[in-house]
Every structure is written in structure tokens, then in C-alpha cells.
Amino acid sequence: MPETAAAPPTPPIPLAALLAREDLGLRQIAGPVEAGAAVHMVHTSEMADPYPYLLGGELLLSAGVLLKDPDRYVSRIVQAGATALGFGLAPVYDTVPADLMEACDRHGLPLLEVPPQTTFTAVARAVWRLMAEARHRELRRVTRAQQGLAAAAARPDPVPAVLHQLAVRLEGWAVLLAPDGTELSSSGRAPSPEARAGVIRLGQVVSPGTGPSPRPTPASATDTVSPPPAPEPAGPAGPGSADPAASAVSHLSAYALGGSRGLVLGLAAPAREAGDHTVAGVAVVLLSLLTAPHQGADAAGRSAALVRMLLGASPAETAALLGQGPWTVVHGQGGDDSPFAATALGAALGSALVDPDADGCVRVLLPAAREVGAQPGWTLGVSAPALPEELAAADAQAARAVRRATATRKALVRHRETGPLSLDEARHRLAPLADSPALVETLRTWLSLHGSWDRTAAAMEIHRNTVRQRIARCQTLLDEDLDDADVRMELWFALRHG
């Protein structure tokens, strides 16, 4: 199951919220008026070409000290992914240049006029204050949602109660799906047919299934879907009048539940706020516990399997008594010095099949469908999913992975099965970077130069710190370990052939 963050990320602020601040006196004078435009950060630059120092999502502030070619200036800002341009009327210009306004209209960049009495520092301070207020609101909302979900889990009918509470908190639809996409229980406003089908489709993406060889899958997946265009209205109140609610975009997500049953939590909501993933993560943990098989039956199965093996049965013959395979082997190094450390690690990973050896390594065997996350104080190596006859190889994989984790000072390293990527897989791998050509080009150059910060900066004519920031953002968006040679190789192939 996915790890639940301690707090939601700081949400960006709508550009409209900044324009509404009367104390700043900002005014949009060109570019599209987009309701969804959001500011992630503020950056001030008087460079003729600020592109090398932009990461995307900025409100760029400038007084136009070196403004010579407005069209190229604006096109480069748009290419870098900035949200808007704030142009100060002092001390260089008394009015915003007309050709700059025309360029912003042409390239679709919101242009804000910053009056002389408003300093750029005041604008930046206002953005940070609005972000802090938004974060506090999200923290309060998430805290109330966590309390509501915990109370629902204590009810006599906990699974429907948790789904109902989740649907209320996200103002959408929550559904528990079987591995084949069957709706087991749901709550909330019924989604459109397109949204319902989209949630079921995402469920198939994250569900490993329950067969003898489930495929490795992500812990969660998201998508958006829009309903088909409504027919033209027949009149002010005619039968063709469109329902505004029916034309709204649905934000879809699916989360694999822990355990070996292959269940999935699906969500469809009208919006996706910064804290929604945290709220959903709490529900995933609760539903995973509520839907897990009874532990007494597991213990009986393990005892029967041990007895049969002692009496001469093969591992393949007794594996079914342990639960549905395949299996994952985890090696753990570290922990504390207590005699209960190994048992505690097994409990944290959701398995009682624990073997501490004399060298201080703890080996844990658990169903492959159960998500393995980093554990405080432990260094973990995780094997690929394995059938009973492959467990010896999986044990070796986990041993190599924990050695790599120790050498690279990482909390968790997974064994990677490498192989050639298809074109569709390559495009999917790079999809999180699709909206940022600057990040794609930086990653391509950095990989081609073997991860050299200085050579990449020289080749792209940008600052080396900008290279580091962009690569860090690539790593976050791709959710990949760019220190892993296999990951670098796969991303290079995706960039070359995707």
C-alpha cells in the first residue's frame, strides 16, 4: 500500500487570488484569463533571457531592464513553463510596452502590471503568505478527514462507512473494486458513465490480480475524463439544455489495497486538491486492514505447511497453504538491538514469516501483492515477485538489493528486471514530463553527458544549479531513482525512441 505522507504538499495559489489583493494593485492587462492558472513560486530576473533559470510554474517579475525583443522574451518564458509575467512600471518604463502586451496575447502568457508603489518583494511576500494560508487550510481539512475516516472504521459496517466518509470528504464517488473490476461496494454521487469506466480501467492498471503470476503494478494511478459534448440547447428551457454539472471534468484515481486479495479503491471527484492523496492514503490503510484475511487462518495455514514440509512435501506442494503467491523476499539491515526488532519489521511489512540470521540480516517473506515501503531505522532490499520454485533466486536478488541500498545509503532498493522498452512503454515512462520541454531537454543532455552537472550546464548555456534543480524535479515527477544505472539506461532509451 502507498505510504501516507505526514502532511499534504503546499498547494499552489490561483493567479486570481493574487490579483484580488487590493493592497498590491496588480492588474492583468494581456494574455488569457485562465481560471486554472496557478502560481507555484515567484522569481525575479532582469536577464535578457531568463529561460535557463526557470523551472515552470513561476510568476516571473521584471522591470524590463534588458528587454529588447519582447516576442522572443515571451516565447522563451512560455517555453520554460512560467505561469505569468509581472511587469514593474518603475524605474525603467512608465507604461507597459505595447509590443510586450501583443507578444503575451500572441503566446498566451498572462501579463500583470505591477504599479510603482508595489515592490517585487511585496508581491513575493504576498504569494508566500497565500501559500501558507492554503497549506493551513489543507492541513485542517486533512486532519478532519483522517478523524472522520478513523471513526468510520470503528463502526459495525466499517467498509461501507469508510467509503461513505471518503466520498463525503472528497465530494465525489468512492468504490471498492474486485480484481476483475466488479464493484463490491460504493458510496457518493454516481459518476458519469465515462468516469465510471475510467475508474474501472485504472483499477486494472494497479491491480496485480490473484492468479499464479500477477504482474508488477504501480501502487496508484490517476487520470482525468471529460464527458462527451452536450447537444445544442433547443431554447431557454428546451429539452436540449445542458446540465453544467454533467459537463464537469472528473478527476479519477485508483489505489491498490494491501494484502493478497487484489482489491482496489477507486475514486472519481470533481477536483484534485493537494491533500486528497493524503486523505486517500489513510483510507487505503484502513481498507487494507479491514479487508485482510483473518490472521488466525493464516497462522493455521503456515503451521500446516511447516508440518507437511517436515513430513517430506515439496515447497511447491505446500505453498498454497501459506497463501496465494507469488512471493516477495525482503532483506533488512539495521533496526534496533532489541530481541523484538525482527518481529517488529515483519509486522510493519504485514508478514509473520520472518527469519533473523546470525549476521544481523532479517529476511521476510510476504505476498508479492503487498506493497513494501521504507521502514524507519532499516535498510531494505526487495526482490522481484517469485513463484515457490524461484524463491532461492529471489533471496539472492534481495541480498544484492540490500547491499546496493547500504552502499548508496538508501532506505530501500528494489531488484529491477531490465529489458527493452516498447515505444508505448517509453512514451508512458516520460509522460509526467510531457508538459515541460525544458525538463525533457535537460534530462536528455544530462544523461548523454553521463550525469555531469558542469558539462550539462555548459552544453545548455544554463547555470549548474539550474541543472541540479531541473534533474531533481525530473526525479520527483518520474518517481525514479536517477542514481540507478538501470533507470538511467531505460530513460535514455525512452528519450531516444519514445
Side-chain angles (χ1 to χ4, degrees):
M1 66 188 73
E3 295 179 66
T4 304
T10 300
I13 63 165
L15 184 61
L18 194 61
L19 289 168
R21 290 284 298 260
E22 296 183 358
D23 58 317
L24 297 177
L26 302 179
R27 185 168 65 96
Q28 182 170 347
I29 58 175
V33 180
E34 298 180 357
V39 176
H40 293 257
M41 67 192 84
V42 179
H43 182 71
T44 301
S45 175
E46 296 301 340
M47 299 182 66
D49 181 14
Y51 170 90
Y53 296 90
L54 299 179
L55 299 176
E58 296 94 345
L59 167 60
L60 176 64
L61 300 174
S62 175
V65 174
L66 298 178
L67 180 64
K68 297 179 180 178
D69 185 349
D71 187 78
R72 183 178 186 278
Y73 180 78
V74 172
S75 69
R76 294 283 284 172
I77 294 173
V78 171
Q79 185 180 356
T83 296
L85 171 64
F87 194 84
L89 294 185
V92 182
Y93 291 88
D94 295 329
T95 59
V96 179
D99 48 0
L100 179 62
M101 297 172 61
E102 293 171 359
C104 287
D105 282 330
R106 186 162 49 252
H107 292 284
L109 179 70
L111 175 62
L112 312 186
E113 180 186 79
V114 183
Q117 68 273 16
T118 300
T119 64
F120 288 172
T121 302
V123 176
R125 186 181 295 122
V127 169
W128 305 137
R129 184 176 294 116
L130 288 170
M131 284 185 170
E133 293 171 356
R135 179 171 174 80
H136 290 156
R137 286 194 300 271
E138 277 296 281
L139 285 171
R140 288 194 297 269
R141 184 177 74 90
V142 170
T143 299
R144 289 194 295 266
Q146 290 173 334
Q147 294 169 345
L149 290 168
R155 292 187 52 177
D157 52 347
V159 171
V162 168
L163 291 174
H164 172 72
Q165 187 66 215
L166 185 59
V168 170
R169 294 295 176 178
L170 301 184
E171 300 181 358
W173 181 63
V175 61
L176 183 65
L177 298 172
D180 62 358
T182 302
E183 296 180 18
L184 303 178
S185 182
S186 65
S187 183
R189 182 185 305 168
S192 67
E194 294 80 13
R196 184 186 297 270
V199 169
I200 294 174
R201 184 175 63 254
L202 287 181
Q204 297 300 306
V205 172
V206 302
S207 174
T210 57
S213 301
R215 67 188 189 285
T217 58
S220 63
T222 61
D223 198 0
T224 56
V225 64
S226 300
E232 291 293 329
S241 298
D243 178 5
S247 62
V249 173
S250 293
H251 295 265
L252 315 179
S253 52
Y255 300 84
L257 300 190
S260 59
R261 298 178 61 185
L263 302 180
V264 171
L265 170 65
L267 299 171
R272 184 179 292 141
E273 304 297 338
D276 288 351
H277 183 70
T278 303
V279 174
V282 174
V284 168
V285 172
L286 293 174
L287 291 171
S288 296
L289 295 173
L290 293 170
T291 59
H294 192 270
Q295 295 302 307
D298 286 352
R302 289 193 295 271
S303 298
L306 178 59
V307 169
R308 293 192 187 186
M309 290 186 69
L310 291 174
L311 294 177
S314 68
E317 293 172 327
T318 58
L321 294 172
L322 298 175
Q324 292 181 337
W327 300 90
T328 296
V329 180
V330 179
H331 281 211
Q333 295 278 4
D336 54 42
D337 296 329
S338 75
F340 308 107
T343 303
L345 175 62
L349 296 178
S351 175
L353 303 176
V354 180
D355 173 32
D357 63 23
D359 296 328
C361 178
V362 176
R363 300 190 296 178
V364 183
L365 183 65
L366 67 159
R370 194 165 298 164
E371 181 70 17
V372 178
Q375 302 297 322
W378 289 93
T379 300
L380 303 182
V382 184
S383 76
L387 296 174
E389 60 270 20
E390 302 168 337
L391 287 177
D395 186 50
Q397 292 172 0
R400 290 193 296 270
V402 77
R403 287 196 296 269
R404 176 171 172 78
T406 302
T408 57
R409 298 183 180 180
K410 295 185 182 299
L412 184 148
V413 167
R414 303 179 191 275
H415 174 76
R416 296 181 60 88
E417 296 289 354
T418 60
L421 293 175
S422 68
L423 291 182
D424 287 342
E425 289 172 331
R427 295 188 185 99
H428 178 74
R429 194 75 169 269
L430 297 172
L433 305 183
D435 295 333
S436 181
L439 292 182
V440 172
E441 188 57 31
T442 303
L443 179 61
R444 186 197 312 277
T445 305
W446 183 73
L447 290 173
S448 72
L449 296 173
H450 309 290
S452 170
W453 309 110
D454 292 328
R455 292 169 64 194
T456 302
M460 297 190 67
E461 298 182 349
I462 59 178
H463 197 277
R464 70 192 307 272
N465 288 342
T466 303
V467 176
R468 288 183 178 273
Q469 292 170 347
R470 289 184 182 178
I471 295 301
R473 182 147 178 80
C474 288
Q475 180 161 289
T476 299
L477 292 174
L478 295 171
D479 192 22
E480 298 278 9
D481 179 10
L482 296 184
D483 291 330
D484 189 316
D486 290 333
V487 171
R488 292 194 188 192
M489 177 189 68
E490 292 169 2
L491 288 176
W492 176 247
F493 177 86
L495 287 164
R496 289 290 301 273
H497 303 286

